[in-house]
Amino acid sequence: HITAPLYYGPTVQFTEERLGQAERTEPDADLERLAGRADVTRLWTERICRQTEVLLRPNPGVRMEEFLYEKLDRTAPQRPASGQLLGRHMEDAARSLGPELAYGRGLLLVGACEQRLGRAEREFSQVSAVALIGPLRDFLEGDWSLITKERRLLENRRLDLDACKARLRRAQAAESKAATQPDFQETRPRNYVLSASASGAGDELQRAQAEFDQQAEVTKLLLGDISSTHVNHLRCLHEFVEAQAAYYKQCHLHMEDLQKELACGSAGGSGQQGEQSGGGGDPPSPPPGSRRARVLFDYDAADASELSLYADQLITVYTVPGMDSDWLIGERENHRGRVPVTYLELLS
């Protein structure tokens, strides 16, 4: 009974805590608050990092391949973006069909645009990986790993402290019991040995308390730096949004240029067809059921399928099967497109 308290260590303390048979030292409230905020930061950093990778690399096979290359400390092969592959296929199809056809010219134009969009996507992925994914990974693999290590060490210090407290309580209880029930036949009184045991346990408790307090301060400092991590991540988030805005703006410009090119190509094709069918440049005859109409207000075409209008213009309009009743097909000077009925005055 005298030496049993000396073997009461952190392992026994941990087991008895799980069984609800031992007291434990509650951490500081400020430390608990900082730890809770750090856990939330780690959780959402992991999720944001993972979902950003999904946004930039939708194919899970490609993500796994890049992960393996990264772990092997090797450079992953450069893969063209999906838009670039689509653009190449369209250009190859145009060469096979013949670029002199209207369909072939359209494939060439769209294929070139898709390649430009693919290059813009690759640039955006590279910039985003540096601006956002890199700092998030650095936090998870660097700062958070250190925080986890120090928190684990703090928990070990806490277990050691509580084990020392339990040893001291048991030694003091044994000493008190021996004082009330002395054994006069012993050559060396038990209370003398127990007093020495209690004194040693007290010294161990002071050492464990000092180590615990020191480790708690170190851990609190690391957890407090989470605020600076938030500031850094906010700056990275701004850079990511700027890159994303520039990417979408560039894509919008590419699509606007493509629509203009397609519209010009359609107008040119219509003109050529008119020349061939008219036998000398005369416009083709209007289809059956067509009427003349006066434009009441200016109208800007929303896309290449529509026709821009100017007030007081005279155009030819007609309808096609299955078309919305609010729209007509308008023609003027070899240009054709959809026009809204509300902008027209139909003439008899």
Side-chain angles (χ1 to χ4, degrees), residues 120-233:
E121 180 184 353
R122 283 191 57 188
E123 293 175 0
F124 169 61
S125 298
Q126 294 171 355
V127 172
S128 299
V130 175
L132 186 61
I133 296 180
L136 296 183
R137 282 183 177 176
D138 290 343
F139 167 74
L140 294 173
E141 297 174 1
D143 295 348
W144 184 253
S145 296
L146 179 59
I147 290 174
T148 302
K149 177 183 176 182
E150 295 300 329
R151 289 176 69 179
R152 189 179 298 115
L153 183 58
L154 177 63
E155 178 64 12
N156 292 335
R157 293 283 188 266
R158 200 271 308 164
L159 288 171
D160 189 27
L161 173 62
D162 287 339
C164 290
K165 290 180 178 179
R167 283 200 298 269
L168 179 59
R169 286 195 300 268
R170 295 188 180 191
Q172 290 174 343
E175 182 181 4
S176 177
K177 182 178 179 181
T180 58
Q181 299 177 0
D183 187 354
F184 297 102
Q185 295 180 356
E186 292 183 354
T187 57
R188 190 173 187 181
R190 284 186 299 163
N191 58 354
Y192 173 80
V193 178
L194 291 171
S195 177
S197 175
S199 176
D203 294 339
E204 287 293 318
L205 177 60
Q206 292 180 358
R207 175 197 59 78
Q209 184 69 56
E211 292 178 349
F212 173 78
D213 293 341
Q214 182 180 5
Q215 184 61 34
E217 289 299 320
V218 172
T219 307
K220 189 179 294 186
L221 287 175
L222 289 175
L223 294 174
D225 286 341
I226 291 293
S227 298
S228 60
T229 300
H230 290 172
V231 173
N232 182 41
H233 287 180

Side-chain angles (χ1 to χ4, degrees), residues 203-268:
D203 294 339
E204 287 293 318
L205 177 60
Q206 292 180 358
R207 175 197 59 78
Q209 184 69 56
E211 292 178 349
F212 173 78
D213 293 341
Q214 182 180 5
Q215 184 61 34
E217 289 299 320
V218 172
T219 307
K220 189 179 294 186
L221 287 175
L222 289 175
L223 294 174
D225 286 341
I226 291 293
S227 298
S228 60
T229 300
H230 290 172
V231 173
N232 182 41
H233 287 180
L234 180 60
R235 178 183 56 81
C236 298
L237 195 63
H238 287 174
E239 295 178 1
F240 171 73
V241 170
E242 290 176 0
Q244 195 172 31
Y247 165 65
Y248 287 132
K249 182 178 180 180
Q250 190 175 8
C251 291
H252 180 70
L253 293 176
H254 289 328
M255 295 306 299
E256 281 189 335
D257 292 341
L258 175 61
Q259 287 181 332
K260 293 177 182 178
E261 292 172 351
L262 289 175
C264 293
S266 298

